[in-house]
Amino acid sequence: SREIRSVCLWDDAKRVLVSTLSGEILELVCAGESNSVSALEDPDAADKSVLRIGDDLNGGPLLRCHWDPVKQPAVYGLAKLSSGGFMSCGSDGIIRQWQTGDDIQHKEIKRVALDSGCRSLATSATSLAVGLDGSIQSRCNGLIKILSLEDFRTLADLSTPTDYVNTLSFSADGTALAAGSQDKFIYVYHFDSEASSWELKGKLSGH
């Protein structure tokens, strides 16, 4: 059995990427007339649509990546790109950009190594947010890095959370960022275009 860490739904709702705590990326594909969402919601539609795990089900996962020789390999974060392809991050502290498509092989086209293991990932049209866990350098625990999607240049470091961030999500326009931390708080940030900086706007408790 596989322990799932994150999922990423494609816009057509017919493919889902799934990452596991054993360093795998799986692809759930809906084959048939109805899409995967309706087939799951309507039991009577089950005979019209089939869910399978990529073309590699019999031979293994779509990808094996983020291998860490010290810790258990784990793919903690997945995020799709508006330009196509997707990003992944893991316990090895590396962010990877993958090329994907029906007529091409999935392959890594870009990467960046950070100072610590990565726990979460989110993308906007121009930026990438990643939550670090302090496993390599303790000072990084709870740190959120905002990077440029173009060249992975660091745009900002947000250090408000006191423990690692499990989940990240940008608003549709990319000007707000929500971060759910292991410290049981949700932090909401907003990008101030005049100051060109991210500011903490709220902190939600009870989680």
Side-chain angles (χ1 to χ4, degrees):
S1 63
R2 296 180 170 101
E3 189 172 353
I4 293 174
R5 174 57 182 88
S6 60
V7 296
C8 179
L9 178 67
W10 292 101
D11 291 337
D12 61 7
K14 294 184 178 181
R15 289 190 297 158
V16 181
L17 292 177
V18 178
S19 74
T20 74
L21 293 184
S22 53
E24 301 170 327
I25 297 178
L26 311 173
E27 185 179 36
L28 296 173
V29 180
C30 176
E33 295 180 1
S34 59
N35 63 46
S36 57
V37 175
S38 61
L40 291 173
E41 291 177 346
D42 180 6
D44 294 334
D47 59 343
K48 303 175 186 176
S49 182
V50 178
L51 286 173
R52 57 188 175 83
I53 303 181
D55 296 324
D56 304 87
L57 177 57
N58 295 325
L62 188 69
L63 294 165
R64 288 186 185 275
C65 53
H66 297 284
W67 172 255
D68 189 319
V70 178
K71 301 177 297 179
Q72 176 182 347
V75 184
Y76 280 111
L78 289 173
K80 64 183 178 181
L81 296 169
S82 58
S83 59
F86 64 95
M87 311 288 294
S88 66
C89 71
S91 56
D92 57 358
I94 297 175
I95 299 174
R96 290 174 165 88
Q97 181 175 341
W98 301 93
Q99 183 182 32
T100 184
D102 295 334
D103 56 346
I104 60 175
Q105 294 291 325
H106 294 74
K107 66 177 182 179
E108 181 184 325
I109 59 174
K110 194 183 341 182
R111 68 162 64 185
V112 62
L114 302 181
D115 293 335
S116 193
C118 306
R119 287 282 180 155
S120 51
L121 190 67
T123 58
S124 68
T126 59
S127 302
L128 166 73
V130 58
L132 305 185
D133 64 8
S135 58
I136 299 175
Q137 295 191 31
S138 59
R139 65 176 177 80
C140 292
N141 193 34
L143 182 67
I144 302 168
K145 293 189 77 70
I146 309 293
L147 308 175
S148 165
L149 270 181
E150 182 180 2
D151 54 11
F152 290 151
R153 171 174 47 91
T154 298
L155 302 176
D157 285 336
L158 310 178
S159 57
T160 320
T162 59
D163 207 342
Y164 61 81
V165 172
N166 281 308
T167 184
L168 289 162
S169 181
F170 278 104
S171 61
D173 62 2
T175 62
L177 176 68
S181 173
Q182 187 70 8
D183 65 11
K184 299 182 180 180
F185 288 97
I186 295 176
Y187 301 87
V188 180
Y189 300 89
H190 182 266
F191 182 72
D192 186 334
S193 57
E194 293 185 0
S196 296
S197 63
W198 287 88
E199 298 180 354
L200 180 65
K201 288 297 184 180
K203 179 179 176 181
L204 307 177
S205 62
H207 296 274

